Amino acid sequence: MNEAFRCKAVIYDCDGVLFNSLEANCSFYEAVFNHMGVSLDRSDEDVMRIIHTYANRDVLKYFFPETDRWEKSLRFAGTINYLNLIHLMEMESGLLEILEYLKGKLHLAICTNRSSSMDAVLEGFNLTDYFSYVMTAAKASFPKPHPDPLLRILAHYGIKAEEALFVGDSVVDSLAAAAAGVPFVAYRAELQGIARIDAHEEILALL
């Protein structure tokens, strides 16, 4: 690892940070909602916030709180092949270049509330080799905003919280970072943290 950098790891959220996945996520949940006989209201800001930031199980529990309907929605969601939605995602500008520059110089990790689709997404965009650790909601005891996913990443690398940066775009991300003690960098969002960046290359000034 390159000792010129003060931090030893950069941890990225996925949706809204690595990718613009708005359309893909909406299409996924529209399919589930339609199966459940309800409509997804894209004009409702709270609905959009929930489906784009929380773990799949928690999203469906929120909208279908009755146990039988929740389990039905989960079963149907499990039948959706996310590979069919990857073409609706768009990699953020400048991401590939900064990952190429940072690879081998410090640890690169992902901390996402996606459950089972993260590997397929990375493979679809040929990004698998850039990240040495991928923490999903399925691997954590509790998803973000609980600090558990970030704490597991720190433990994996054997580093202290202050030796990492977490780049996220939602309140869920900022709360998880604060609870884990990891310095938070807001990506194109007005959130509490050590800095806000609007382009991926701006992370270099914080390392």
Side-chain angles (χ1 to χ4, degrees):
M1 295 296 165
N2 191 332
E3 295 301 328
F5 289 134
R6 289 171 294 175
C7 85
K8 297 180 179 179
V10 178
I11 307 167
Y12 292 95
D13 174 44
C14 175
D15 299 285
V17 176
L18 301 182
F19 307 99
N20 178 345
S21 52
L22 180 66
E23 187 59 37
N25 285 343
C26 282
S27 295
F28 176 87
Y29 282 107
E30 275 180 338
V32 178
F33 277 43
N34 289 340
H35 180 74
M36 298 299 295
V38 297
S39 298
L40 175 67
D41 185 359
R42 293 193 182 206
S43 66
D44 189 315
E45 292 184 3
D46 282 338
V47 170
M48 292 295 100
R49 175 182 57 82
I50 291 167
I51 70 172
H52 291 301
T53 57
Y54 286 90
N56 176 258
R57 292 175 63 87
D58 293 335
V59 171
L60 296 178
K61 186 69 173 179
Y62 178 86
F63 290 109
F64 308 108
E66 303 88 355
T67 300
D68 58 338
R69 284 179 59 76
W70 177 55
E71 291 176 347
K72 179 181 178 181
S73 68
L74 281 173
R75 285 194 300 271
F76 181 78
T79 69
I80 299 175
N81 185 353
Y82 207 89
L83 283 172
N84 296 328
L85 301 176
I86 288 177
H87 72 282
L88 298 174
M89 299 175 66
E90 181 179 357
M91 190 188 303
E92 286 290 305
S93 175
L95 173 65
L96 188 58
E97 292 80 3
I98 200 65
L99 292 179
E100 186 67 34
Y101 178 78
L102 293 177
K103 183 181 178 182
K105 295 181 173 68
L106 42 66
H107 301 296
L108 296 174
I110 291 175
C111 184
T112 178
N113 270 348
R114 284 180 176 267
S115 295
S116 59
S117 60
M118 194 65 240
D119 288 343
V121 169
L122 292 178
E123 290 170 7
F125 284 92
N126 296 315
L127 294 179
T128 303
D129 292 341
Y130 289 101
F131 297 99
S132 55
Y133 198 63
V134 177
M135 174 55 60
T136 66
K139 297 176 183 177
S141 297
F142 305 96
K144 296 178 296 184
H146 196 280
D148 179 67
L150 287 172
L151 294 175
R152 286 173 179 261
I153 294 173
L154 298 177
H156 174 79
Y157 291 131
I159 61 176
K160 300 176 182 177
E162 59 268 24
E163 295 177 317
L165 293 179
F166 180 37
V167 185
D169 70 321
S170 70
V171 172
V172 167
D173 296 327
S174 65
L175 289 174
V182 176
F184 180 69
V185 179
Y187 182 74
R188 296 183 180 176
E190 297 299 331
L191 297 166
Q192 187 155 3
I194 64 166
R196 169 188 167 136
I197 61 174
D198 292 298
H200 276 284
E201 56 267 27
E202 293 175 21
I203 195 72
L204 293 177
L206 305 173
L207 299 178

